[in-house]
Amino acid sequence: MQSGSSLKIKFIHSFAKKLRLTKPSKSAALHIDLCKATSPTDALQYLLHFARKPVEAESVEGVVRILLEHYYKESDNSVRLKIASLLGLLSKTQGFAPDCIVDDAINTLNNEKSHQVLAQLLGTLLIIGTQLPDKIAVIQRLIDVACKHLSSTYFGVRNKCLQLLGCLGTVDKPLSKETDAGPGAQTSHVRDVQSVISDYFQDQDPRVRTAAIKAMLQLHERGMKIQQTIYNQACKLLSDDYEQVRSAAVQMVWVLSQLYPESIVPIPSSNEEIRLVDDSFGKICHMVSDGSWVVRVQAAKLLGSMHQVSPHFLEQTLDKKLMSDLRRKRTAHERAKELYASGEFSSGRRWADDAPKEKVDTSGVNLIDSGACGAFVHGLEDEMYEVRISAVEALCSLAQSSPSFAEKCLDFLVDMFNDEIEEVRLQSIHVLRQISTHITLREDQLDTVLAVLEDSSRDIREALHELLCYTNVSTKDCIQLALLELLKNLTKYPTDRNSVWKCLKFLGARHPTLVLPIVPELLSTHPYFDTPEPDMDDPAYIAVLVLVFNAAKSCPTMPALFSDHTFRHYAYLRDSLSHLVPHLRLPGRKQTASSGLEVSGVGSGSLESAQNFLQDSLIRVSALQNLETPGAQDLLEFTIRDLLRLGELQTELAGSADFCATYLHCQLLLTKALQEKLWTMAVPLYLKQNAKVSTAARQILDETYKLEFLYSGLETQQIATIHNVRLQAKALQLILMARSKRGVDRVLGVCEKFLQDVESFQRLFMTELPHFQDSFVEKLLELMPRLTACKPLDLVKILQTTLRQSRFIHLKLPEQIHRASATIIEPTGESDNPLKFTSGLVVALDIDATLEHVQDPQTTVKVQVLYPDGQSHIIHPKPGDFRTPGPGRVRLITQVYLSHSAWTEACQVEVRLLLAYSSSSSKPSASKPAWNESMDGLPTSESCIEGTIHLSKPVKVFIMPKPARR
């Protein structure tokens, strides 16, 4: 009896254990649903509903078996099509190896009569093949299946077969393809995958021809070298009747021109030969005049990447007339030889027998198709603005690698400044800016360029200012013309003030010898008579001084032409606009402390010494093993002070110096917090003394978020170090909470969250753990089994001991660190005139700010408005409000709407920029199931924003909400 009861108990326990481990079967539920279906429509509904639910990797095989079972029973094509589609989606499930369903998937092809279902099944096989790149035998079977079905009469099946060959085919493995599909004889011979695909370049269906070219391009993308013999076939397809075929053929010709640029190809109907890259360049040029604007755009873009083309072919694209250089001409020796062989010279008996051949003979041999002449002229004059933009970008790319071509295309680019589409004008300005090092503007060209300053678009005007910063002009009249037009721009658009000043700064620095002769005229000085002193509040006068002072930096004779008030104005501007006015060595004048970094000895030439100072400071701190030793905290404080000062003096090292100073400040705060006397106090006394430590913990947390999200260029090791400090701050907060006895449940929840953070650290930074010996996080990971099992109060005691015993982690700097920053240009905050509006309504406030080194500004940058009564509003700028004038720089031009109830007097509101962050954004995202791919394009929700960091200094604006009139 006893043994029987024990057996019974064991059986019950084993049964209960099985019940606990068993999960609801997805395959069983699907089987029940499909069995309930009374019509194909019901079955489709069940399959669509099932496709919305994720399937675990261990359940996929069972689900596939159910689907295949129903597939063989189903007679409706639409249901079988959906099942075939689901098989492909299930094959992409992470953690599932689809090689176990290859045989079943191939078997379904044998009895399938529907062409659409057959095409879908081939698509499923393609997905399976891409999931199993190392299974050579499986890949070979799939290729054989594709070759077998290439003879299908349905274009969709042939398309999928070609796509499968392009994605899975290999060059070294020959294929055996049946050539005669007759019922009697079937002969086979070994063929290469490229020759099989190229056979379908001449298919009767344009969709198949397109698929064949794309399959060949897919082979190229996978690293396989395409055979040169395909070039002639691809060139014939450039004249195909269908747009998609011509588009793919253009891409194919370009690929071959990059693979075999120096190969020699014959010219049709002649005995002449030409380089393949030149021949393909001419053919792609011809496609710029194609009937489809999509093909024209593609051809224009590809021309910009053909840098190996011969110069005379390149220059022909700017002239609609065929140059004589592009016609095969006989040399003098060949002509003399012909005359000698004929035995006669010109006798005058035959009319014009020795007349020069100025006119191109249409029957002559042209090395370039006459339709390709002036390709860029055609592209720049195209009716579609997309083609014009592509042509402008291609000109830029080619001009950057050929200074002579840059000079020749200058007139064409300047003409594009008058285009009717703003986007084309803007792109033309950007392009001219990129090739400005190769060109010098003439006066007539500069006149055309400066006419754009009348444009109402702020983006256009500022892009032109940026262009003038880096442009060379030829005469002093050009300098005067540019200055005059910029001053007109300043009068018409006062908000362009900073941009115009910056433009004149670079214009003067680039042309000191041209500015020198016109200095007396610019400053209105006279050799005998005193002239009135200009008003220093005039932006136009400041603009002239910025031009002159920057030119004087490279021209030591210029200060002799200055009057006394000019020297006073220089001292004033040197202090107020030091970023625009350089340091000048003025004769007979004492150098002041405000003369900048050059006087202090820490200038651009001492960048190397500044880097050495930064490294020495870090090495000096790294010698500290324990921050509680006497003098350690003083050394930290002095080092932080030195690093902050270094960041002010050396802008190139500002990011690295501020980053190190902030990290050391976190360590200093943590050390001071752990040394407080309150840790030995009784709890009643402690409750009155914990404010200082609590504030320090909160401050350390804030600083770690700044370290992680405010600085770019960090490596994984630095991010792991920041997370280690953050864990220390969270542990400190947990200890404070436990000692204050705010409730066991709350402490328990915080403990669980803390342990999750530790596990997350181990998962994210597993490779960096060797760098954290004797650190806080390493000690926690060693104690992890004990921490998960102990009570909250025991956990707190362990954390307190571990915090005091953990070693200081030394910081290793990466190559370059940039600190994200923002400067609000408008509003300036200097006006005393309030913005008046009726209470309850809104007033628009224009915001103009520059952002430096901000990552993903469209989603992270916010505008905060703080009202005098403590209300705070956060505004999210539209993505279109962000412009990118240069690398690492972003311009924000937007409007925020202010509103409030009536006030008795005008008050100031604070406007500043914030950087929103989420700690989850820095972690690698978990993989999503295949059927959720459609959700990728949705914007991130605001709930994922964890906090904000101040990105700019606040600007105060006077506003006055008035009561509404009755």
Side-chain angles (χ1 to χ4, degrees), residues 267 270-273 312-313 316 322-336 338 355-361 363-368:
I267 297 174
S270 75
N271 58 354
E272 297 298 325
E273 294 180 334
H312 53 279
F313 282 94
Q316 176 63 67
L322 183 63
M323 294 180 182
S324 61
D325 288 340
L326 299 179
R327 183 188 63 204
R328 173 70 172 93
K329 294 187 296 185
R330 293 175 299 168
T331 63
H333 290 289
E334 290 173 336
R335 292 196 300 270
E338 182 182 349
K357 296 181 180 179
E358 293 297 333
K359 187 176 180 181
V360 176
D361 186 6
S363 61
V365 178
N366 293 335
L367 299 188
I368 185 171

Side-chain angles (χ1 to χ4, degrees), residues 70 77 222 238 250 301 337 363 400 546 714 822 828 854 866:
H70 192 78
N77 290 342
R222 291 171 52 215
L238 291 175
V250 168
K301 286 182 178 178
K337 184 178 180 181
S363 61
Q400 283 179 314
V546 168
L714 301 181
T828 59
V854 178
L866 186 63

Side-chain angles (χ1 to χ4, degrees), residues 688-925:
K688 299 179 181 178
Q689 304 291 332
N690 71 338
K692 186 175 181 181
V693 179
S694 180
T695 303
R698 182 67 251 176
Q699 189 176 354
I700 294 171
L701 269 183
D702 292 340
E703 296 287 354
T704 59
Y705 286 118
K706 288 182 182 178
L707 286 172
E708 184 174 1
F709 298 103
L710 208 57
Y711 295 87
S712 58
L714 301 181
E715 298 172 355
T716 311
Q717 184 177 347
Q718 286 81 44
I719 297 176
T721 307
I722 295 167
H723 278 250
N724 176 61
V725 178
R726 189 176 302 159
L727 282 177
Q728 290 177 293
K730 288 182 177 180
L732 188 60
Q733 286 185 327
L734 177 56
I735 296 169
L736 293 173
M737 181 184 297
R739 286 173 65 91
S740 61
K741 290 187 177 179
R742 294 184 181 176
V744 179
D745 294 337
R746 185 177 178 188
V747 173
L748 184 61
V750 176
C751 288
E752 291 177 355
K753 178 68 172 63
F754 180 78
L755 292 177
Q756 290 174 5
D757 290 340
V758 177
E759 292 176 353
S760 175
F761 182 95
Q762 184 181 16
R763 186 173 63 254
L764 291 173
F765 306 110
M766 179 66 72
T767 57
E768 302 298 330
L769 288 178
H771 301 290
F772 289 85
Q773 294 180 1
D774 297 331
S775 67
F776 176 70
V777 71
E778 189 195 45
K779 293 179 182 296
L780 284 185
L781 292 175
E782 291 174 355
L783 297 169
M784 200 63 185
R786 182 181 167 192
L787 294 177
T788 53
C790 67
K791 297 179 180 179
L793 292 180
D794 295 332
L795 172 66
V796 169
K797 291 179 182 178
I798 295 173
L799 287 180
Q800 185 172 342
T801 305
T802 310
L803 267 177
R804 299 178 70 91
Q805 293 177 352
S806 58
R807 188 176 66 88
F808 168 58
I809 299 298
H810 308 305
L811 190 65
K812 182 180 178 182
L813 281 181
E815 290 293 329
Q816 186 73 36
I817 296 180
H818 296 291
R819 178 190 168 102
S821 61
T823 305
I824 298 178
I825 302 172
E826 295 289 341
T828 59
E830 299 172 353
S831 175
D832 294 331
N833 298 323
L835 290 172
K836 297 180 180 180
F837 61 98
T838 304
S839 62
L841 301 180
V842 296
V843 62
L845 178 66
D846 292 321
I847 302 290
D848 182 3
T850 57
L851 312 176
E852 299 277 348
H853 305 295
V854 178
Q855 298 177 336
D856 194 16
Q858 286 86 353
T859 56
T860 57
V861 175
K862 315 293 178 187
V863 182
Q864 182 191 46
V865 180
L866 186 63
Y867 291 92
D869 58 357
Q871 291 186 41
S872 176
H873 293 170
I874 293 181
I875 297 96
H876 313 286
K878 301 190 294 290
D881 294 338
F882 294 90
R883 281 89 164 172
T884 308
R889 291 192 296 125
V890 177
R891 187 78 176 274
L892 173 62
I893 301 176
T894 187
Q895 279 189 332
V896 297
Y897 296 101
L898 310 179
S899 181
H900 211 282
S901 56
W903 297 350
T904 55
E905 60 182 24
C907 288
Q908 290 178 332
V909 296
E910 286 190 359
V911 180
R912 68 168 5 126
L913 298 185
L914 303 177
L915 183 72
Y917 66 85
S918 172
S919 56
S920 61
S921 64
S922 64
K923 300 174 184 177
S925 57

Side-chain angles (χ1 to χ4, degrees), residues 397-446:
S397 179
L398 293 170
Q400 283 179 314
S401 58
S402 174
S404 61
F405 184 69
E407 293 179 6
K408 289 181 172 62
C409 70
L410 180 58
D411 284 322
F412 297 95
L413 287 174
V414 170
D415 286 342
M416 296 306 292
F417 284 18
N418 299 318
D419 195 274
E420 60 183 359
I421 303 296
E422 179 181 333
E423 190 176 348
V424 179
R425 299 199 300 272
L426 190 59
Q427 188 62 31
S428 304
I429 295 171
H430 288 321
V431 163
L432 201 58
R433 153 76 181 87
Q434 293 177 45
I435 64 172
S436 58
T437 53
H438 300 305
I439 57 175
T440 300
L441 289 178
R442 302 190 308 270
E443 190 169 352
D444 60 314
Q445 294 169 334
L446 182 65

